[in-house]
Amino acid sequence: MADLTLTLSPTATPFPWAPLITAYYVSANVKFDVDAATPSLKTKASTVTDVEAILGELSPLVAQGDSTKQASFVSLAKTLHTVTAYPEVVGALDNLDDHFAYRTFLVGHSITVADIWVWSSLKGNIQALGVLKRNQHVHLSRWYSYIESLPSTQAATAALNDARATKAKSSKAASSFALGLPGAVEGQVVTRFPPEPSGYLHIGHTKAAILNQYFAAMYKGKLLIRFDDTNPAKEKAQFETTILEDLQLLDIKGDSTSHTSDYFKELHEYCVQLLKSGKGYADDTDQMQMRQERMDGIASKRRDSPVEDNLKIFEQMTSGDPAAQGWCIRAKISVDDPNKALRDPVVYRMNVQPHHRTGDKWKVYPTYDFACPIVDSMEGVTHALRTNEYRDRNPQYEWMQEALGLRKTTIWDFSRVNFVYTLLSKRKLLWFVQQNFVQGWDDPRFPTVRGIRRRGLTVEALKQYMLSQGPSQATIMLEWDGIWALNKKIIDPIAPRYWAVEKKDLVKVTLEGQSGVETKVQPLHKKNPDVGEKTVVYGPEIYLDQEDGASFEDNEEITLMDWGNAILKTKTKTASGTIDSIVMTLHLEGDFKKTKKKITWLAASSDAHPLVPVTLIDYDYLISKKKLEEDDDVKDFVTPQTEFRTPSFSDANILKVKKGDIIQFERKGYYICDRAAEEGKEAEFVKIPDGKAASLASKAAGAGGAVPPENVDVVPKTKGGAGKGGWGKSGPPSAAKSPANVLTPTKESASKLETKSDSNNGAMKEGDRVFLSDGTSGFPIPISTKMYDVKALVGDSQSTPPSESTMYQVKSVSDV
């Protein structure tokens, strides 16, 4: 209905579900505007602002039933929307359930406006939904689920959630691209994203992928995905699949997918053309010598070879003739151009290794710098977007197209993305995988697309952040706070709230004034009732975190969240000084505004209401230096402890959380479900950084406050017993605070590592210093941590969690 436009605020409370669902059902236009004070419907004749009047305009467009019966149900819908008393809610639902016992719809044999109105009233009534979810109204539930499953209802709900979860692209992001692409014509723009199938996409690739999609959509053009598979030594078919999956995780889908190898025949012919025109030559200069000659501006001895000789050698290379081994084809551009990228670059190499797509058909392969401009032109690419690290090679790109008489492509470059404490090198990331320091390429500590998504970074945050960078040309090291803070703004309005209590030293509290166990339905998100509801158990015995219990002062009045106030009566300590138990008196008439502490808690576990064990996981950066220099060895900057696991309890509501769901454990932070509680497995939740400095600071310093020196291994060798400087059978000192995965030293450094200890048996303890055998580079061992105290996972031995992916079954590159 192009002549009808409904405008409403996604944050309106209570939310006007009926107009939204009806508008989608009749295919009217819907616009979300956070500044809209009231819903409004614009028609050809006028603009209607009253909800009932809006529904009056839309109702005739829905199938009509018996007018008298329909009117009675519409009247019920208006009443049901505001009913809050439990007996009245149950009575209304009972009547509706009876009505649907022998009926599919409220009136007649098809959906009428009565169905939409009543469904919307139930949807907007928290109490009614809570009763309905108890599955005691099977006929009503069947009808409700059917209306909810309609494509129009699904589309309306998805659009609303989208509007609530994200803000429209900020004016800052839009203005960054106000100039757009040079020479772009709407409907004719073609961009391309050309990944090499030699690894997994990481956050550095996402900017290029997102920008290519952004401009293709802006100009109503096309986005091509082209695999740059010109190096059979590095590339594998499996990476093509994983890259497409990574793009899917980013909500990026190209209009077509191709391979550079699709054009090997044409590329070979263009190389022959280059040789015949005298703009290329065959060269057998040693690689190191060639590099030096290019650096010094010295011409190759083969630069002026006859065309016939060059063609003959290229033919030998193409056939795989051993006599041509060591030869290559170079473009004849310049010997001493100030731009060294123009100093006769290599355009073809001989390689007898089979290609993963073409097998052993070809023995010569084009370089990226030769193939890219040719295939871009052949595939109709109008704008080649790439990072400005290629800027010196842009004239080379243009020379190739001009020399071969190809259609020109406009280059548009931008700065690449670099983050502090982050490795983007595939070689260095592979080292962490091979050393089993991470679970795989989707590890939440990895900057891969799979890793950051598994850590809880949303696609919308990633897109908004990359677009906010604009066409900047400055190459800088970005902090992680900006992107995580943006992510928090997106997930906070829709993340359901749950509670968790740490298992370690959990405090038992006896509440005087609570005689028995009872349950109440509470919203999962106090500011967004549409998120749903949870059942909270109230009982005479509850559990608290040790940190909370230890903070209570004598006779202090605190607030138990979602319950009321309570006054401390007594507390008992163990011999070690931890709080063992507390007695409190409920004071529900107390004013929560006057208490300093608002505490989360859980009712004691029982057969009827058991607590659910969960593990909360937090991570540190893999490296302890903000930026690794070219000559830095990654082994020297490995963070000693990067995973922190906190065994905890939650309540039965957590069983509804599925893998990939983002939630908030109140007062603990935002988490993404990494493994749901199913098939006897304990649920695991990965903490999502919130952008605050404290949560993003490197924890590598440990309790000692010092980062290990750059040339010292951070973990002592374990060979031998405690007397040999190892940990012995009892595990590491402060075992409760030991890492869940421990980085072991290299063989070379381990042989030099010694310890000094004040203890009689020589075992290491907190505060000991590690020295190399030459007596240098001592530093405090960071055994304890400021974050969490984590018990040893099993018995009396140090354990490492299985290195399996909980998101994808991804083989290590080294195993392929």
Side-chain angles (χ1 to χ4, degrees), residues 13 103 111 135 154 170 339 456 602 800:
T13 305
R103 295 175 178 84
I111 293 176
N135 296 321
Q154 292 285 307
S170 65
N339 181 353
L602 291 175
T800 302

Side-chain angles (χ1 to χ4, degrees), residues 763-781:
M764 295 183 67
K765 66 179 189 304
E766 185 173 344
D768 281 349
R769 298 174 71 80
V770 170
F771 295 87
L772 296 183
S773 54
D774 59 5
T776 62
S777 302
F779 67 93
I781 296 293

Side-chain angles (χ1 to χ4, degrees), residues 264-278:
F264 276 171
K265 182 176 182 296
E266 291 84 354
L267 290 166
H268 186 273
E269 292 172 353
Y270 276 118
C271 185
V272 171
Q273 177 182 330
L274 197 71
L275 293 173
K276 286 182 177 180
S277 65

